[in-house]
Amino acid sequence: MAKGVKPRVKVPKSAAAGDVVTIKTLISHKMESGQRKDKEGNIIPRSIINRFTCDFVGASQSGNVIDVQLSGAISTNPYFEFEAKVPESGEFKFTWYDDDGSVYETAKSITVA
Amino acid sequence: MRRKAFATAALVALGLAGPLSADPVDDKLIVNGETELVTHTKAPDYIDGLDEIWSGWAFRAAETRAIEADDFDNPGMIFVEDAEAVWNRVEGGAGKSCASCHGDPSSMKGVRTVMPKYNEKAGDLWSLEDYINDCRVNRMQAEAWGWNDKDMVNMTALISVQSRGMPMNVAIDGPAKPYWEKGREMYYTRTGQLELSCANCHEDHYGDMIRADHLSQGQINGFPTYRLKNAKLNSIHARFKGCVRDTRAATYKPGSPEFHALELYVASRGNGLSVEGVAVRN
């Protein structure tokens, strides 16, 4: 597992049914490119976030919001901002997949009044 | 219809003229929708060459300015969070962390506004970095950090954030006076193969274009600054070094007496501007 990885997300706490909300996510991650060498000259293996997903889980409706594939040359601390339509109260689940097999998860609930 | 086409043509013409004039933008910087920062005010009386002072924020593109207005968007805040962990980390022979003596980082409120300042005990001008290392060595019995070590720069950021919105207010009289005079001397002295002084760019030509960029007044109220170009926080002295290098002069070392004096003088030019607590620049 890469060091200092910390997911952060910003989701409004409440919304009206059918509202489109803006979601911001950022994960602190080195995004080691696989092109660099350490002091001994050995290649440091690539370790980047290669996939990011956001899913909505509600009582009656659930679904995927976005599913992103990330490749090389994406900078450190990748940031995503996107919009989602909120049908009912529920939870947004966020998942980041690391090359080294680690999976980082976090979730934020939203209330539809 | 014809009228509209005319208007469009006029706009295109304006658009073309736009990038050439790079005057500071008179916009309001409100962080997280609550803290309004002073980015433009009257220059202090002791500054002859300027009537108004502008934060470097006013010279940046709209997108860059927007990043600083929201802590979630501001990548500099990641480093502040890192420093919060270090703040509570016990290190050194005394078995102490920053928190052992200082409690919450909010106890550092106002500290950044008066830095650098003359330290009576040491009999010298001290920057925030000197105070941090003094704590580390003498109170924590830990190893001193290098001037531009990641932990050092991040810690100065954490301390600066506590003073966000407070006006810069460094003392230039009393024992600080000789340092300030030395700094002023440096500011107006041409150096390097290009024979440029700080004032040539940051006083005479702020708002103009240089190297495909808008020249700011070189204010340091926003430091340490997150720069898009290197994706990390940058210290004041590191920025000075970059600037001096660009004049093709041999630079002073970060933490040198010369940069201490220059830091005091440049900070005094921005007295009245808000501490931005990790600015975002390009």
Side-chain angles (χ1 to χ4, degrees), chain B residues 33-188:
Chain B
E34 48 184 42
T35 316
E36 183 171 343
L37 305 187
V38 178
T39 54
H40 176 204
T41 187
K42 212 173 89 44
D45 327 322
Y46 47 80
I47 305 301
D48 298 328
L50 298 174
D51 296 328
E52 302 178 314
I53 48 176
W54 294 87
S55 159
W57 181 81
F59 295 86
R60 301 279 65 90
E63 298 85 346
T64 314
R65 294 204 306 275
I67 295 175
E68 193 180 326
D70 184 325
D71 275 350
F72 192 89
D73 293 351
N74 185 341
M77 296 311 285
I78 296 173
F79 300 92
V80 172
E81 274 184 37
D82 284 353
E84 270 170 23
V86 176
W87 178 270
N88 294 309
R89 190 173 73 199
V90 173
E91 264 185 276
K96 286 183 182 171
S97 67
C98 305
S100 312
C101 297
H102 297 291
D104 193 77
S106 61
S107 61
M108 294 287 118
K109 190 171 181 196
V111 170
R112 171 70 172 86
T113 61
V114 294
M115 292 288 160
K117 74 171 185 181
Y118 184 79
N119 183 310
E120 296 277 349
K121 248 198 219 155
D124 205 355
L125 185 72
W126 274 21
S127 299
L128 193 47
E129 285 87 345
D130 298 305
Y131 282 92
I132 294 172
N133 264 344
D134 180 52
C135 266
R136 283 187 63 80
V137 174
N138 296 325
R139 290 199 195 172
M140 295 168 68
Q141 293 163 28
E143 236 175 272
W145 280 327
W147 200 272
N148 286 316
D149 282 359
K150 191 168 148 259
D151 281 336
M152 174 63 97
V153 183
N154 294 354
M155 188 56 73
T156 61
L158 174 64
I159 293 171
S160 299
V161 169
Q162 313 307 323
S163 305
R164 177 187 276 169
M166 298 172 74
M168 280 299 295
N169 185 26
V170 293
I172 62 167
D173 48 1
K177 183 100 182 165
Y179 297 95
W180 185 79
E181 305 246 319
K182 181 180 171 190
R184 186 176 57 177
E185 177 77 26
M186 286 177 69
Y187 196 88
Y188 287 101

Side-chain angles (χ1 to χ4, degrees), chain A residues 41-108:
Chain A
N42 306 311
I43 284 180
I44 306 170
R46 192 183 95 155
S47 175
I48 66 169
I49 302 285
N50 57 44
R51 185 176 170 217
F52 166 65
T53 61
C54 172
D55 297 283
F56 180 76
V57 183
S60 62
Q61 293 185 57
S62 300
N64 178 255
V65 180
I66 57 165
D67 190 337
V68 189
Q69 192 188 345
L70 289 82
S71 325
I74 290 178
S75 75
T76 158
N77 308 333
Y79 170 91
F80 288 103
E81 181 176 335
F82 49 92
E83 292 178 334
K85 202 174 201 172
V86 189
E88 57 182 14
S89 294
E91 200 175 48
F92 283 103
K93 288 184 183 299
F94 305 89
T95 317
W96 292 261
Y97 299 86
D98 197 317
D99 274 345
D100 64 13
S102 313
V103 175
Y104 315 104
E105 288 173 308
T106 188
K108 275 271 154 78

